[in-house]
Amino acid sequence: MTGSPSGTRMPTVRRIQYHRFGGPEVLRLEDFEPPRPGRGEVLVRVKAAAANAMDWKMRNGEMRLMTGRAFPRGVGNDFAGVVEAVGADVTRLKPGDEVLGGTSLKGAGAFAELVLASERTVVRKPAELSYEQAAALPVVGVTAYQAILGKGKLRPGQTVFINGCLGGVGRAAAQIALMSGASVGGSCRATAAKEARELGIDPTVEFGFDPAPLEGRFDLVFDTAGTLSATAARLLLKPGGRILDIVPTPVKFARSALPGPYKVLIANPSTNDLDVVTHLAAQGGLRIPIARTVPLADAIPVLTELERHGTPKNGKLIVTAG
């Protein structure tokens, strides 16, 4: 089965979307007619989708240069589900395949019953992972993998400091670094320090820490929270080390363009990287905890609570659609 024949209408489904940039009050659960899958695209019936901080940054308009300004716009990038239909030139996937993946920034819309994505950003779901576990992986897993073993070039025996080590990306990065034979230090809330140490993160410090006692100890400083000052990051760094930040601003992009250790990382969709991350999770080496699941019909208030108050904590919020 490929995309519906030309001229036929796709089935109307429900999707969380918005008609203008703004706060969570602009979100609506509405009927939506998904486009037919085009060349290299797959239409997936969503079983589960995961919330990420970039969801509300896109909805606020902070990323409009990358997302465009066409409305209505969907919300959500990470998903897991079953392939419903495929477009021309799709070779790896077929209808009925269980998959996980992510949408493009412009094509966000995973909080829905059907979502369209490029085949390049979708892989098969291992049987060992539930749909909820699979949906939690793409953005945090690929970002962490590319930061630690890609742009960060962390090698066995080296050390990384992760600011926000128990956030989604931070937790994934810590596990990938430890599996690669590196040592990990990091910052987190004081109440979570015991959990961080149990994960293998040592030293563990609170947010707002004094970097002086850790001066010159790390080959890589990875700021997943975007809150570490340039002065503190440089103080933590060994000579020749690298600083990566995944919370971009215009000022940070300008700093990243200058010579020096500081770079902004924008993760690139990669089938190979997503496959690696997925298999690490299937083998039990990479665990992204799930704090709460909520059905699509009830998701908007919970997404609003997550954005405004950071709850639920200690894991991913998953929206289930079927």
Side-chain angles (χ1 to χ4, degrees):
M1 178 182 175
T2 59
S4 300
S6 178
T8 62
R9 294 175 64 87
M10 295 298 293
T12 298
V13 298
R14 295 181 304 165
R15 180 176 85 156
I16 295 177
Q17 59 186 17
Y18 54 102
H19 297 262
R20 60 180 176 85
F21 292 125
E25 69 279 357
V26 304
L27 295 175
R28 300 287 185 271
L29 179 61
E30 297 177 330
D31 288 343
F32 169 75
E33 184 182 330
R36 293 187 297 272
R39 188 175 302 275
E41 293 180 328
V42 295
L43 187 68
V44 176
R45 184 159 294 279
V46 178
K47 296 293 186 178
N52 293 289
M54 73 176 186
D55 296 335
W56 54 81
K57 293 177 182 178
M58 293 167 63
R59 189 213 59 234
N60 285 340
E62 295 176 40
M63 301 174 66
R64 68 186 71 189
L65 291 178
M66 292 176 278
T67 64
R69 301 165 183 261
F71 295 101
R73 301 191 58 79
V75 185
N77 290 83
D78 287 354
F79 62 84
V82 179
V83 175
E84 183 91 352
V86 302
D89 297 336
V90 170
T91 58
R92 292 187 301 105
L93 302 172
K94 64 184 185 304
D97 283 347
E98 297 184 340
V99 296
L100 68 142
T103 69
S104 67
L105 293 181
K106 287 188 176 181
F111 298 150
E113 293 170 329
L114 287 172
V115 67
L116 190 68
S118 168
E119 184 190 25
R120 296 183 297 105
T121 61
V122 179
V123 300
R124 286 188 176 87
K125 180 185 78 65
E128 295 88 344
L129 296 178
S130 68
Y131 287 113
E132 292 81 4
Q133 291 169 325
L137 287 172
V139 164
V140 299
V142 170
T143 301
Y145 183 80
Q146 292 181 357
I148 295 299
L149 299 181
K151 203 163 187 176
K153 301 178 182 177
L154 196 68
R155 300 188 301 273
Q158 290 190 321
T159 54
V160 55
F161 182 88
I162 302 173
N163 185 43
C165 62
L166 291 185
V169 175
R171 186 186 294 267
Q175 292 174 80
I176 291 169
L178 290 165
M179 281 187 285
S180 74
S183 298
V184 181
S187 61
C188 61
R189 301 187 315 276
T191 54
K194 182 175 182 289
E195 182 184 358
R197 288 192 293 270
E198 289 172 347
L199 194 62
I201 300 170
D202 183 29
T204 300
V205 296
E206 298 179 28
F207 287 124
F209 66 100
D210 177 5
L214 301 177
E215 181 176 357
R217 288 186 53 174
F218 299 96
D219 299 283
L220 174 64
V221 173
F222 184 26
D223 188 2
T224 70
T227 58
L228 197 63
S229 72
T231 300
R234 284 180 178 271
L235 196 63
L236 294 170
L237 208 61
K238 290 180 180 179
R242 296 162 298 283
I243 302 168
L244 295 180
D245 189 330
I246 57 170
V247 185
T249 65
V251 170
K252 290 180 179 182
F253 275 124
R255 187 191 313 159
S256 182
L258 298 173
Y262 178 88
K263 299 298 176 187
V264 168
L265 170 68
I266 302 296
N268 293 312
S270 165
T271 303
N272 290 338
D273 291 352
L274 182 55
D275 253 330
V276 171
V277 166
T278 299
H279 283 95
L280 287 175
Q283 294 161 9
L286 177 60
R287 300 179 184 275
I288 307 298
I290 294 170
R292 183 178 178 183
T293 61
V294 60
L296 182 65
D298 301 327
I300 290 177
V302 184
L303 290 167
T304 301
E305 180 74 9
L306 173 63
E307 178 179 352
R308 289 180 171 166
H309 303 292
T311 51
K313 297 185 185 297
N314 302 320
K316 280 286 196 180
L317 171 63
I318 303 294
V319 177
T320 57

